[in-house]
Structure formats: structure tokens, C-alpha cells
Amino acid sequence: MRLFANRDYRRLFSAQIIALFGTGLATVALGLLAYDLAGPSAGAVLGTALTIKMVMYVVIAPIAAAYVDRLPRRTLLTLLDAVRAVVVLALPFVTEVWHIYLLVGLLQAASAAFTPTFQAVIPDIVTEESAYVRALSASQVASTMESLLSPVLAAVALAFLSFDRLFLGTSAGFLLSALLVLSTRIPEARPNTHTHTRVWDRATAGIRTFLRTPRLRGIMALNLAVAAAGSIVVVNTVNYVRDELGGSQSAVAWMLAASGGGTLLAALALPRVLDRVAARTVMVTGAGVLVGGTAAAVTLVAAGLTTWTGTAIVWALIGIGMALVITPTGKVLRASVEPNAIPGAFAAQFSLSHLAWLITYPIAGWLGTNAGFAAAWSALAVLAGAGAIGALLLWPRHDGRGAATGPMTPVPGGRPADRSTLSKAA
């Protein structure tokens, strides 16, 4: 592939992969650390830590995206990796829950600034438009694969190591990422034509595009369905496996891997499916699967059917639903805006999807700890249903333009130019 023949992109992408997998391993280790410190209250601790993460992503990422053209980007990316390496290295030594919150805040503030900076660098390294689109897609695939494979790697590692050693591996990964960034030739930012535009306007440009584009409003609703179902897996797996199923640390990672396995199976099948089936149909179907998965999770705990097999099936079902929604998202974003607005659209999706997680993480963590899994998962099932229904209402089958044939193409302002642009959106 010509894209990976580009030396600088190859090294920068490798840095992203390493950092992503480091973050995934740290997430598994963080859950086990929370259980080690808080026991039955681990869900509340993890929910709070992940809520802090989402606050940082929602607040800092748009601001970083607005200012990134004014900063030395290679130096900034290297510094952010170094900060993450030091913070993760400190996590195994915490003795109080509030230490987790403080360090997670610092870690995720650095991560929230890293992502938009990385995205802003890509078009200056990959200058060919078609290659640039592939680079954005590769970045999205990397993020998806991290969620699939990190739990498997963690499960294998935990068979030989204690969970605190995962933090050491993560720290080493961030340092290697920093070295790869340093070895990359990253040009200084090109003058931005909107330099004198207010920071708030620049930071929210992509979000305004979402609000005025029907199919993107539908994606906002789908983000809620994904976050509602995903929070059950991310936040509650530790307590559920350790306390309800009586599993080990390694079993926690393998159960997370069950969800990742479902995502992987769906992701492998989707490219051919999307050649024949409209993205909207696939994504709305995914939302329906997520609703079914959350309802099945509620049934597990309400009926006392806490078995390994049943839980693995439900977790895999949720993983499948997440893949059906997430995988086509990049394609829909690219087809909904002009080429020069693609980075803003991806940045907006980054913030809006994390805003959905900001709503659902506290429910899974705090309500799950204080009122039980049945109450928390019922609330999340309702939110998943609301997201699915919202997508159906906000994203009309034909985007308000009638039946269509032909591929989606980018259109000014996120609006379809004519009927021939809509078949894959509808």
C-alpha cells in the first residue's frame, strides 16, 4: 500500500498503535487496581475514573484542536507521550482511591491533547487526498483493533504477571511512541485561514456541522446506544466476574476479550456487507443488537442466570452491536462533509462520542455499586433504546430527499447535492 511506503506516516502510525495498545492494557490494569483498592466498590471507583477521562476528552480535545496549528507539533506529541509514560509508571504505587483520580486526570488530559494533534499532523505528511482518507480510516481501524486485542494481550500477560506489571509495559510503550515521534519529520503547521476566528467558533465548527446534518444527528444518537451498552462491559466486568462469577484477574480480561471477539467477527464481515447494504441500515441494526444485548444483560442478573457461558454470549453480542455501529461511521462522516472539513468532522465525532460515555459511565459505576447491576443495567438499556429510536427519527431513511442510487459523495455543508449522492447514507 502506497500509504505505508511513506516513511514518516509509517513511523507516526506505529507510534499511535503502540500508544493505543498501551492505553488498552492500562485500562484493564486500572480496573484490577480499583478492585484491589476498593473491592465491591470497584465499579464506582472505575466509573469515576472513566468519567474523569471523558470530561478531559470532551473539554480538552476541542480546545487542543483549535490551538494545534500554533504549536510545535512534534515537540508537543513527544512531551504528551512522556507525560503519559510518567503518570502510568506512578499508578502501581498508589495507595488511596483519590490518587487514581488525580493520575487518571493527568493521563487523560495528555491523551485528549494527543489525538487532535496527531490528526492535524496527518494531512501535512500524507498530502495525496485519497491516501489521506485511507490514513484517517487506518487510524479508526487501529482504535477499533485496540479494543479487540488489548484484553486478549492482558489476559495472556496476567497468566504470568501481576496486574501492576501491565502499567510498566504501558509506560514503556509510551516512551517508545515518543521515540518514534521524534524520528518523524513533522513540518510546522501551515498558516490557518481561520487564525483570527474565535477559538470557540473553531473548536465547535465540527459540532455545528453535526447539528445541521440529518445523518450526523443520527450518529449522535447512535453514540448513546454504543456508550450505554459498552459501559456495562467496560465498567462492570471486573466486579461481575470477580464477585458474581468468582473469576480470577485473568478471567476478567478473557471476558473483556469475549466482547472484543464479537466486535472482531462483525468487523471482518462488514466490508462486503457495506458494499451491498446501506450504512444506515447496518448501523441502525447494530443499535437494535445493542438494545438486545443490554436487555439480555438485565435478564442475566434479574433472573439469577449468572453463568460463564451466558455472560460470554451477551458480552459478545454487545461487541457485535458496537462494531455494526462504529465501523461504518468513518465512511458516513467522509461522505457528509467537504474534504477540507473532514478533520473537523472526525474531531467532533471524537468529542461527541466521548460525551455519550460521560453520561453512561457514572450510571454503570455509581448506580451499579449502590443499587445493583439490575438497576444500573436497566437504566442503560433504556438509554440504548433511546439512542436507537433517536437514530431512526433523526436520520431519515432517504435524508429527506427520496429514494436514491449511487455512492455517497461529499457535499457542501454536509447536505446532499442530489438524489444520486444518497444510497449508502440511506
Side-chain angles (χ1 to χ4, degrees):
M1 183 184 291
R2 286 186 300 165
L3 176 63
F4 289 98
N6 183 323
R7 168 191 174 275
D8 293 315
Y9 174 75
R10 187 170 64 248
R11 294 191 178 189
L12 196 61
F13 183 73
S14 297
Q16 184 201 21
I17 289 286
I18 292 169
L20 279 172
F21 276 92
T23 302
L25 291 175
T27 299
V28 175
L30 182 63
L32 296 171
L33 174 62
Y35 189 85
D36 192 52
L37 290 178
S41 299
V45 173
L46 188 56
T48 301
L50 293 172
T51 298
I52 293 171
K53 171 184 176 178
M54 293 304 107
V55 169
M56 293 298 176
Y57 275 51
V58 170
V59 173
I60 292 179
I63 297 174
Y67 277 106
V68 71
D69 61 307
R70 306 180 186 182
L71 300 171
R73 296 177 295 181
R74 186 172 68 170
T75 301
L76 178 60
L77 288 171
T78 304
L79 178 61
L80 292 172
D81 266 338
V83 168
R84 294 193 289 183
V86 171
V87 171
V88 169
L89 194 61
L91 277 169
F93 302 101
V94 304
T95 56
E96 302 289 341
V97 169
W98 70 268
H99 295 164
I100 294 179
Y101 300 154
L102 175 62
L103 291 175
V104 165
L106 293 173
L107 174 66
Q108 301 306 337
S111 294
F114 186 94
T115 298
T117 305
F118 173 84
Q119 291 176 335
V121 165
I122 293 177
D124 289 338
I125 292 178
V126 182
T127 55
E128 184 183 344
E129 183 176 330
S130 61
Y132 170 57
V133 172
R134 291 198 303 274
L136 287 177
S137 298
S139 179
Q140 184 184 31
V141 169
S143 298
T144 301
M145 292 305 295
E146 175 271 313
S147 67
L148 305 177
L149 297 181
S150 289
V152 177
L153 294 177
V156 173
L158 288 169
F160 305 97
L161 305 170
S162 59
F163 73 85
D164 56 345
R165 299 295 179 90
L166 294 181
F167 290 119
L168 299 179
T170 298
S171 181
F174 284 133
L175 289 176
L176 180 56
S177 174
L179 291 175
L180 285 169
V181 171
L182 279 175
S183 70
T184 303
R185 293 167 297 190
I186 299 177
E188 293 303 318
R190 292 174 292 184
N192 192 309
T193 57
H194 302 290
T195 299
H196 301 294
T197 305
R198 291 185 304 172
V199 170
W200 174 255
D201 290 338
R202 295 169 62 194
T204 59
I207 294 176
R208 292 197 302 273
T209 299
F210 265 72
L211 293 176
R212 68 172 179 258
T213 308
R215 68 179 77 143
L216 299 187
R217 290 200 297 267
I219 287 179
M220 290 171 62
L222 291 170
N223 287 337
L224 182 61
V226 168
S231 291
I232 294 176
V233 173
V234 175
V235 177
N236 297 133
T237 297
V238 173
N239 275 118
Y240 188 76
V241 170
R242 297 301 301 272
D243 296 335
E244 300 294 328
L245 297 176
S248 63
Q249 293 181 1
S250 183
V252 171
W254 282 117
M255 191 59 74
L256 291 170
S259 179
T263 304
L264 179 60
L265 290 175
L268 290 174
L270 275 176
R272 292 184 179 180
V273 173
L274 288 169
D275 286 338
R276 301 188 301 270
V277 182
R280 178 188 182 275
T281 300
V282 171
M283 296 172 77
V284 170
T285 300
V289 172
L290 291 172
V291 173
T294 54
V298 173
T299 302
L300 281 179
V301 291
L305 304 175
T306 51
T307 65
W308 287 98
T309 301
T311 303
I313 290 173
V314 172
W315 262 229
L317 187 65
I318 290 174
I320 291 171
M322 292 176 71
L324 292 176
V325 175
I326 293 172
T327 304
T329 296
K331 182 178 183 180
V332 175
L333 290 179
R334 293 194 303 270
S336 300
V337 298
E338 295 176 306
N340 62 358
I342 288 176
F346 273 81
Q349 168 62 5
F350 180 83
S351 294
L352 291 169
S353 62
H354 285 84
L355 179 61
W357 291 94
L358 177 58
I359 296 169
T360 60
Y361 274 151
I363 295 174
W366 301 340
L367 189 60
T369 298
N370 295 310
F373 292 137
W377 295 358
S378 295
L380 292 170
V382 170
L383 288 179
I389 294 171
L392 287 170
L393 297 177
L394 294 171
W395 187 352
R397 182 177 296 275
H398 305 295
D399 274 359
R401 299 295 183 106
T405 58
M408 283 195 301
T409 56
V411 290
R415 294 180 176 83
D418 55 50
R419 294 185 177 186
S420 66
T421 68
L422 295 174
S423 68
K424 296 298 182 185

